[in-house]
Amino acid sequence: MVNKIIDLNKETVTTEFKVTEDCIFVKDNKFTESGIIENAAQSCSAIVGQDFFAADDLEGEGNSVIGFISGIKRANIFLLPRTGDTLTTKAKLLSNYSSGNFSICTMECKIYTEKELVADCILNFLIQEV
């Protein structure tokens, strides 16, 4: 649920995603709540996930990384975007514990259309190299 990473560093990420009719999370021309959470999760995973790839390994070949939401601390969804809308998602790392081949973290995420706040949430993640 991310088309483009606009900005990425060790603590924040900004992504874009265009909602299309063929997206699995579109129902009645609206991007569903589960799609909004998935967009947040994929955007957030870029922050901690980058630690599992070498700086010169743009394709990620040879790395197998899995990640999933381990908890939703807060999720406020204010509106459902329509097909054709482009979402801008801004996430920041609140806490991170890394040990060996896994990382547990908490991130805050805000999702916008051009004009409005779509959602804000705080998510917990587990990311592991396998």
Side-chain angles (χ1 to χ4, degrees):
M1 303 300 113
V2 170
N3 296 123
K4 186 187 320 182
I5 295 175
I6 304 301
D7 185 48
L8 175 64
N9 60 54
K10 294 290 186 184
E11 295 180 3
T12 64
V13 66
T14 301
T15 66
E16 282 186 355
F17 173 68
K18 183 167 184 170
V19 180
T20 58
E21 290 179 17
D22 62 343
C23 176
I24 190 170
F25 293 111
V26 169
K27 183 177 180 184
D28 299 326
N29 290 319
K30 291 185 180 176
F31 195 48
T32 62
E33 294 88 343
S34 55
I36 291 168
I37 296 299
E38 183 63 24
N39 170 262
Q42 288 189 22
S43 296
C44 289
S45 69
I47 297 172
V48 176
Q50 67 186 311
D51 290 340
F52 293 99
F53 296 91
D56 60 350
D57 184 13
L58 300 177
E59 300 299 319
E61 293 179 17
N63 292 333
S64 240
V65 179
I66 60 168
F68 56 88
I69 298 171
S70 59
I72 298 174
K73 293 183 112 177
R74 179 184 80 215
N76 296 309
I77 298 174
F78 304 108
L79 65 97
L80 298 179
R82 302 191 66 75
T83 54
D85 285 346
T86 297
L87 304 181
T88 300
T89 304
K90 298 180 179 203
K92 71 178 176 178
L93 183 65
L94 299 178
S95 67
N96 185 20
Y97 172 77
S98 294
S99 177
N101 66 343
F102 75 92
S103 182
I104 299 170
C105 55
T106 301
M107 297 188 202
E108 180 177 39
C109 188
K110 293 184 186 241
I111 303 168
Y112 304 87
T113 62
E114 277 187 27
K115 301 173 185 171
E116 299 180 90
L117 178 63
V118 171
D120 69 20
C121 53
I122 297 178
L123 305 173
N124 294 331
F125 292 92
L126 172 64
I127 298 174
Q128 182 174 7
E129 187 173 23
V130 290

